[in-house]
Amino acid sequence: MNDLVRQHTALGDSDLEWLHLLVSEWQLLSDLSFADLVLWVPTLDGTRYVSVAQMRPNTGPTSYQDDMVGHLVPRGRRPLLDAALDEGRIVREGDPEWREEVPVRVESIPVRREGRVLGVIARNTNLLTVRTPSRLELTYLQSASDLAQMIAAGSFPFPDQQVDMDASPRVGDGLIRLDADGVVQYASPNALSAYHRLGLAADLVGHHLGRTTAELAPSRGPVDEALAKVASGWAPREFEIEGEEGSIQLRAIPLKPKGTRIGSLVLLRDVTELRRRERELITKDATIREIHHRVKNNLQTVAALLRLQARRIDSDSGREALEEAVRRVGSIAIVHETLSQNLDERVEFDEIADRVLAMVAEISPGAVTGRRTGRFGILDAEVATPLAMVLTEALQNALEHGFRQGDTGTVEVSAVRGGTTKNQRLLITITDNGVGLPEGFDPKRAGNLGLQIVRTLVEGELGGSFDMVPAPDRGTQVVLDIPIDGAK
């Protein structure tokens, strides 16, 4: 719609925003009218109309099989559009049109904002299935007529209320029509069922909706007075009532077709099952976070026990082996600690990489500093856990074997994301400026336990590739290429 309005019309940004607000609401008008809606806006030179938006009803057959958006119509070809635009009134004159052997009643509703008519809504009703209307259909049509008059007067949609139509109740979910005093004139079967779910034993018609709703709500006191007023439809509001047996979501729409409030329209939806599932998901999320927290605590306990054991061993090699085990356990604990703070099984790995880098730097034999460049981003837990251990082993190997006691230098961890949307990859390079690789070193076969762990995790569990090569200037470079499908 933005492109069409800016390309063909003279409307400004504030007018365009009003049209967006209208289009976000007009599914309501379409469903109440059992009719298709097409929004026509006059072109810059005033000789034509351009259709910038279209809506089909959920409550009846469509009048348009084709997409009308983008069509241009010369002024004069559709007299009802001209009359509504020029006179600023709803136009219903004329006989039904025949489209592909289907009779269609056409009406035009001017769209007014701050005294100016911005465009015209063509309301097209398929008359092929017209029958004697029921009480529900009559209520729908009367409510649609009131809303149409409000659009023509510039009082609908409500500028201070932005509605999320995906989450807001729809006409078919449940509808209640109130009079000016807030007394129920009509309640659809779905609306009545929703209130029965809250605990209502009687019919709604003839009862004051605000007071009835407040009585069914579990709370008492000043909240009841506010709830009673809101449920009476005095202002455009959305709210939710949760009783012992169910929950309903309501939306109140004051009806002021001639500037004076004559009543209200209340749309409602039974959200009992939806809220129950949300509570179950919250409980499951809390349980998963608690499990990660306990795993982290257990791993820290194991690390503390290994550290105590290392202090009691006289053998230097045995002590070093236990200290390496402590760091390996610690790297996994960091991942679980991060997962315990999240709502899903995904972690921001940059924080983990920095903590692993700081933890491993503690074993530096000299004045060796570590830094990270690039961004790992958000990774799934099934990638983050083995990657944390791989990073720990590679950094530990670089510090232990790349530098001697008293050496100064740097170890840099670089992360670069690439690939396509469906085949994302993470390229990690760990570069040191230490002594470099020994002559004839084969990273595919040689190496200590740490490098064997790296090869196994990268190639086996992560499905990536691993290599060790001389650094461009001096030292050693570890290159890891890992697929990260679904990461961000």
Side-chain angles (χ1 to χ4, degrees):
M1 185 166 71
N2 287 352
D3 294 339
L4 290 171
V5 169
R6 287 169 179 154
Q7 179 182 355
H8 295 285
T9 77
L11 299 181
D13 290 341
S14 58
D15 294 331
L16 178 58
E17 187 62 31
W18 181 263
L19 295 184
H20 274 293
L21 190 60
L22 172 66
V23 168
S24 71
E25 291 273 29
W26 71 343
Q27 180 73 65
L28 172 63
L29 178 63
S30 178
D31 290 344
L32 289 173
S33 303
F34 307 97
D36 290 75
L37 306 178
V38 180
L39 177 57
W40 297 93
V41 179
T43 58
L44 184 61
D45 58 8
T47 62
R48 295 181 295 177
Y49 297 96
V50 58
S51 59
V52 298
Q54 178 180 1
M55 178 59 65
R56 294 183 174 91
N58 294 319
T59 52
T62 183
S63 302
Y64 285 113
Q65 298 297 330
D66 299 327
D67 185 8
M68 295 296 296
V69 175
H71 283 216
L72 291 165
V73 174
R75 185 176 171 87
R77 179 175 295 180
R78 299 192 178 184
L80 296 186
L81 294 181
D82 298 339
L85 182 68
D86 297 337
E87 302 173 22
R89 65 180 180 87
I90 299 175
V91 182
R92 297 190 177 93
E93 295 89 349
D95 297 327
E97 297 180 2
W98 287 84
R99 300 175 188 165
E100 298 180 356
E101 300 183 355
V102 175
V104 177
R105 182 174 65 241
V106 181
E107 304 166 87
S108 295
I109 305 167
V111 177
R112 191 183 303 273
R113 174 180 179 266
E114 296 180 352
R116 296 181 300 114
V117 177
L118 306 182
V120 179
I121 295 176
R123 181 163 56 177
N124 304 268
T125 306
N126 187 326
L127 300 178
L128 193 62
T129 58
V130 169
R131 61 185 185 278
T132 302
S134 64
R135 178 72 187 280
L136 180 143
E137 291 169 330
L138 289 173
T139 303
Y140 277 19
L141 293 172
Q142 180 58 54
S143 301
S145 177
D146 294 334
L147 285 177
Q149 292 183 55
M150 291 171 65
I151 293 174
S155 58
F156 186 83
F158 304 110
D160 298 330
Q161 187 187 40
Q162 188 68 37
V163 177
D164 182 2
M165 293 307 297
D166 292 333
S168 184
R170 295 177 179 266
V171 170
D173 296 328
L175 179 142
I176 297 175
R177 175 80 185 222
L178 308 179
D179 64 12
D181 297 322
V183 176
V184 178
Q185 294 180 311
Y186 175 78
S188 70
N190 284 346
L192 192 59
S193 296
Y195 266 84
H196 285 165
R197 190 78 176 265
L198 278 183
L200 179 69
D203 194 1
L204 273 173
V205 176
H207 292 270
H208 190 277
L209 185 66
R211 289 194 290 268
T212 301
T213 303
E215 291 171 359
L216 294 173
S219 59
R220 294 290 180 265
V223 176
D224 289 356
E225 297 179 6
L227 178 61
K229 188 171 183 179
V230 170
S232 299
W234 287 94
R237 290 280 302 277
E238 286 196 29
F239 55 101
E240 190 168 314
I241 305 298
E242 184 172 358
E244 295 181 359
E245 300 296 330
S247 301
I248 59 174
Q249 181 184 10
L250 301 98
R251 182 190 176 196
I253 303 172
L255 297 176
K256 304 176 181 179
K258 297 182 180 179
T260 303
R261 181 175 170 275
I262 63 168
S264 302
L265 197 62
V266 178
L267 305 179
L268 66 152
R269 178 173 59 168
D270 186 343
V271 293
T272 304
E273 290 302 313
L274 179 62
R275 297 295 176 257
R276 180 184 64 81
R277 292 173 185 173
E278 288 178 351
R279 286 192 293 269
E280 288 180 352
L281 287 175
I282 292 173
T283 301
K284 289 179 181 178
D285 288 339
T287 302
I288 291 172
R289 291 199 299 271
E290 178 62 22
I291 290 173
H292 284 301
H293 181 72
R294 293 187 181 185
V295 170
K296 183 263 297 183
N297 289 343
N298 291 339
L299 289 173
Q300 289 180 338
T301 301
V302 171
L305 292 174
L306 292 174
R307 195 175 292 111
L308 288 173
Q309 186 66 40
R311 294 173 183 171
R312 295 176 176 269
I313 293 181
D314 296 330
S315 169
D316 292 339
S317 60
R319 188 182 306 109
E320 291 176 359
L322 288 177
E323 289 174 350
E324 288 181 2
V326 168
R327 285 188 287 273
R328 289 166 183 149
V329 172
S331 65
I332 301 175
I334 290 173
V335 177
H336 283 282
E337 181 180 2
T338 305
L339 287 169
S340 68
Q341 301 169 2
N342 293 343
L343 295 176
D344 54 17
E345 291 291 286
R346 298 166 71 81
V347 295
E348 176 62 65
F349 198 81
D350 292 330
E351 178 185 352
I352 294 175
D354 292 340
R355 293 180 62 180
V356 168
L357 191 59
M359 179 181 67
V360 176
E362 296 175 357
I363 69 170
S364 171
V368 180
T369 59
R371 64 172 180 264
R372 172 180 61 85
T373 61
R375 179 176 177 270
F376 287 87
I378 299 175
L379 301 177
D380 292 334
E382 59 186 12
V383 174
T385 302
L387 183 56
M389 181 170 285
V390 166
L391 194 59
T392 301
E393 297 298 334
L395 287 169
Q396 184 171 306
N397 186 76
L399 292 172
E400 286 186 352
H401 301 285
F403 300 93
R404 291 183 290 268
Q405 190 70 34
D407 286 350
T408 60
T410 59
V411 177
E412 179 178 315
V413 178
S414 172
V416 178
R417 304 172 71 92
T420 63
T421 303
K422 296 182 179 180
N423 185 24
Q424 298 185 52
R425 303 192 73 83
L426 181 62
L427 180 64
I428 305 168
T429 57
I430 303 168
T431 308
D432 68 72
N433 58 357
V435 298
L437 296 171
E439 187 176 351
F441 180 82
D442 183 2
K444 301 296 183 182
R445 297 183 181 180
N448 53 22
L449 175 62
L451 290 181
Q452 293 177 18
I453 292 175
V454 170
R455 282 197 299 267
T456 301
L457 290 176
V458 171
E459 297 174 358
E461 190 162 343
L462 294 174
S465 62
F466 158 76
D467 199 6
M468 287 184 71
V469 296
D473 297 327
R474 176 192 172 192
T476 305
Q477 189 172 75
V478 176
V479 182
L480 309 172
D481 188 1
I482 299 170
I484 50 169
D485 294 346
K488 292 185 178 180

